[in-house]
Amino acid sequence: MELKMNRRGDDLYVYMTGELDEHSVSKVREEADSAIDDNAGLSRAIFNLAGVKFMDSTGIGFLIGRYKRLQKYGMDMCLENPNANADKILELSGIYSLMPKI
């Protein structure tokens, strides 16, 4: 899993590429948390999932953890461009009620 971050205006964009599973999540968790901490005070973080090839329940846990961290700073979280498989998992999990798909 690889993350790329880009700040545009009052938004932090997080582009994710690869597989989001138990083998990759610890590395990207630290990167994402650091980016969130460094950009505290923005209005929202948008996680672009277009490059995510595979996601399991660990990926859902990763997203919920980042959501909670963002909430501490008063920031919203949105998900963008999940592929069909990820979208189905996210829909079934109910995660869109916390972080809407845009």
Side-chain angles (χ1 to χ4, degrees):
M1 172 61 56
E2 181 180 326
L3 295 184
K4 291 185 182 177
M5 275 70 77
N6 182 9
R7 183 177 172 176
R8 276 190 252 155
D10 210 26
D11 294 331
L12 173 65
Y13 283 81
V14 180
Y15 297 91
M16 305 177 73
T17 305
E19 296 184 357
L20 190 55
D21 57 20
E22 66 180 306
H23 301 291
S24 64
V25 79
S26 62
K27 177 183 176 250
V28 295
R29 181 184 300 122
E30 292 174 16
E31 289 180 49
D33 286 350
S34 179
I36 290 167
D37 293 343
D38 291 346
N39 290 281
L42 296 179
S43 66
R44 66 181 177 170
I46 300 168
F47 282 71
N48 185 296
L49 306 175
V52 176
K53 308 275 186 258
F54 174 81
M55 179 180 3
D56 60 12
S57 60
T58 307
I60 292 172
F62 167 82
L63 293 171
I64 290 172
R66 304 313 49 85
Y67 171 80
K68 289 179 180 180
R69 190 174 201 97
L70 287 159
Q71 290 292 291
K72 290 180 185 179
Y73 293 116
M75 297 170 66
D76 293 326
M77 180 173 172
C78 301
L79 302 177
E80 181 177 62
N81 296 326
N83 68 27
N85 291 332
D87 188 48
K88 183 175 181 179
I89 290 168
L90 295 167
E91 184 72 43
L92 290 171
S93 73
I95 207 165
Y96 290 137
S97 64
L98 296 174
M99 47 197 91
K101 179 172 62 169
I102 58 171

